[in-house]
Amino acid sequence: WAKAWLVESFVDYRVLRLESLETRVRLAYDAAALYVAFECFDPDPSDITAFLPGRDQHAPSDSVEVFVAPRAGSESYVHWIVDSRGTVFDERTAPGDDGLRKRRIQWNGSARVRAGAEADRWIVEMAIPFSDLGVRPMAGQTCRVLLCRNVIHTRPKGEEESNAVVFLDGSNFHTVEKFARLRLAGPEDRPPEPQVGLV
């Protein structure tokens, strides 16, 4: 992870303001998988009580989300939610017989997930096989991704906070055309300069 590219400065997806708790994500890939590591800073991770109820069961929780639309121009994507103890919700979408996008919650991918906590943060690491995405990775290849964090336990009841790596201007997390673009770097590429800074 020391050499992985760092993504910072998440914003509330509904209104253009920075997240209340810092989130950092590192991304890397090899021939087998896309690797994603979240650091979710939190004043007391041991106080978290909002979890996913179980595998592929959804409920508001302190969690992270990863969406990947692996093919340029496609509306189909794969989606994971992982809570702070490592419970996984995953689904994929595909066009139905009527041409509309259908969510397939019964799909179970083979991503490897590990979660843990430190004194001031909780961490989720994921290895997402490219076979789950249905593509073979190549340097220069571009896909669309959305990285998100949901904050429940430090917020007043009913005021959950959902943050994303891009501002969605009020659209929900499933709006593929607003996902960020991710280009798979080659060995000669250097991380870009930050576009957002805090002073």
Side-chain angles (χ1 to χ4, degrees):
W1 292 122
K3 294 183 179 179
W5 287 20
L6 177 64
V7 179
E8 299 179 279
S9 303
F10 280 48
V11 295
D12 188 310
Y13 81 98
R14 296 156 297 194
V15 292
L16 190 54
R17 70 173 172 233
L18 287 173
E19 60 192 340
S20 63
L21 297 173
E22 183 182 7
T23 308
R24 294 179 188 164
V25 181
R26 286 177 169 81
L27 298 166
Y29 81 99
D30 61 18
L34 174 67
Y35 302 95
V36 185
F38 284 84
E39 285 182 281
C40 301
F41 288 81
D42 189 287
D44 186 4
S46 65
D47 193 41
I48 293 174
T49 59
F51 304 109
L52 295 173
R55 172 78 193 209
D56 284 346
Q57 298 177 36
H58 189 270
S61 61
D62 287 274
S63 56
V64 296
E65 301 189 47
V66 177
F67 294 78
V68 181
R71 291 184 175 83
S74 172
E75 286 289 306
S76 297
Y77 59 84
V78 189
H79 174 211
W80 294 265
I81 304 173
V82 183
D83 69 16
S84 62
R85 61 184 178 188
T87 308
V88 176
F89 171 98
D90 56 7
E91 65 178 340
R92 73 181 314 137
T93 67
D97 294 338
D98 55 5
L100 299 176
R101 186 174 64 203
K102 304 287 185 190
R103 294 171 65 182
R104 315 256 185 225
I105 295 173
Q106 70 276 14
W107 175 80
N108 285 323
S110 51
R112 290 178 290 130
V113 174
R114 181 170 61 189
E118 297 179 5
D120 64 345
R121 72 197 75 178
W122 54 277
I123 297 164
V124 168
E125 295 175 288
M126 302 177 66
I128 300 170
F130 281 106
S131 58
D132 279 6
L133 301 176
V135 295
R136 300 177 87 177
M138 295 186 307
Q141 179 178 340
T142 300
C143 61
R144 286 189 174 272
V145 300
L146 187 64
L147 308 170
C148 314
R149 178 184 178 188
N150 303 300
V151 179
I152 305 293
H153 92 283
T154 62
R155 307 295 300 163
K157 190 174 174 92
E159 294 184 20
E160 294 87 0
E161 182 179 321
S162 292
N163 303 305
V165 73
V166 293
F167 178 48
L168 300 176
D169 197 18
S171 298
N172 68 39
F173 283 176
H174 300 268
T175 310
V176 177
E177 62 269 19
K178 296 199 175 183
F179 289 7
R181 292 186 188 278
L182 174 67
R183 187 177 70 81
L184 301 182
E188 70 288 347
D189 288 307
R190 307 189 77 138
E193 292 297 317
Q195 296 181 21
V196 175
L198 300 177
V199 292

